[in-house]
Amino acid sequence: MSNEGEIAKYPNLVTQDSSTETTRGPSQVLVVGKSPINRVVVSKIVERSGLKPISESPDMAAKTLRTLVPGVIVLDGGADNKDCDTLMSGIETLRRVSGKSFPPVILLSTKTGTPESLGLSNVIDVVVAKPITPERLQPVIDRLISR
């Protein structure tokens, strides 16, 4: 895959079903959260990085992850960091199949700290403290996309 933004198709990684294709979108960022306002704010920051945001509620994101492997996943944890807990097993499966920490996962949190210090799932790579600002989030997204 040589062109920026080019999308490749692979057999479905989550279900191991070769009839269902999984699209790998390295320039796409899955933005997940219960708050539509926060999803819009994060999506605008993603666009500033020249990437394509895909904004979903946690329920819809679970379905999206069955057919798309984004370049980065941004989860809005809500007030207690648990708004997106239903997605953790699906993300963990994607990462296990990839054999590495891909796709990288950012958690937007009301608390500061590392994933370990906050007792979060091992699929969380980076915690970005709220309030969400371009100065805080954009460099993290850019760094994770480039690795």
Side-chain angles (χ1 to χ4, degrees):
M1 198 160 47
S2 59
N3 294 342
E4 185 82 20
E6 186 175 320
I7 296 175
K9 303 237 182 221
Y10 298 93
N12 189 297
L13 299 174
V14 175
T15 63
Q16 299 298 318
D17 177 1
S18 59
S19 66
T20 305
E21 289 186 334
T22 299
T23 303
R24 190 166 189 169
S27 64
Q28 296 178 317
V29 177
L30 181 60
V31 177
V32 184
K34 288 185 178 177
S35 165
I37 295 169
N38 284 354
R39 290 196 317 255
V40 168
V41 169
V42 173
S43 293
K44 293 296 181 190
I45 294 169
V46 166
E47 288 173 347
R48 288 177 61 167
S49 292
L51 302 167
K52 182 178 186 255
I54 300 169
S55 176
E56 301 279 9
S57 68
D59 294 337
M60 289 304 297
K63 294 174 185 161
T64 300
L65 283 173
R66 291 186 196 120
T67 58
L68 172 73
V69 180
V72 173
I73 299 172
V74 180
L75 303 175
D76 181 353
D80 59 1
N81 290 338
K82 299 199 180 296
D83 281 6
C84 297
D85 278 2
T86 57
L87 296 174
M88 295 305 167
S89 64
I91 294 169
E92 191 170 7
T93 301
L94 281 177
R95 290 170 68 130
R96 190 173 43 252
V97 170
S98 77
K100 53 187 173 190
S101 298
F102 189 84
V105 179
I106 300 168
L107 177 72
L108 306 175
S109 175
T110 55
K111 302 172 183 151
T112 58
T114 64
E116 297 80 23
S117 71
L118 295 175
L120 299 171
S121 167
N122 62 346
V123 302
I124 305 296
D125 295 302
V126 180
V127 176
V128 175
K130 293 179 183 178
I132 307 161
T133 64
E135 296 77 26
R136 286 184 185 175
L137 185 56
Q138 192 170 352
V140 175
I141 292 171
D142 292 343
R143 179 173 48 90
L144 291 175
I145 281 286
S146 68
R147 70 173 196 185

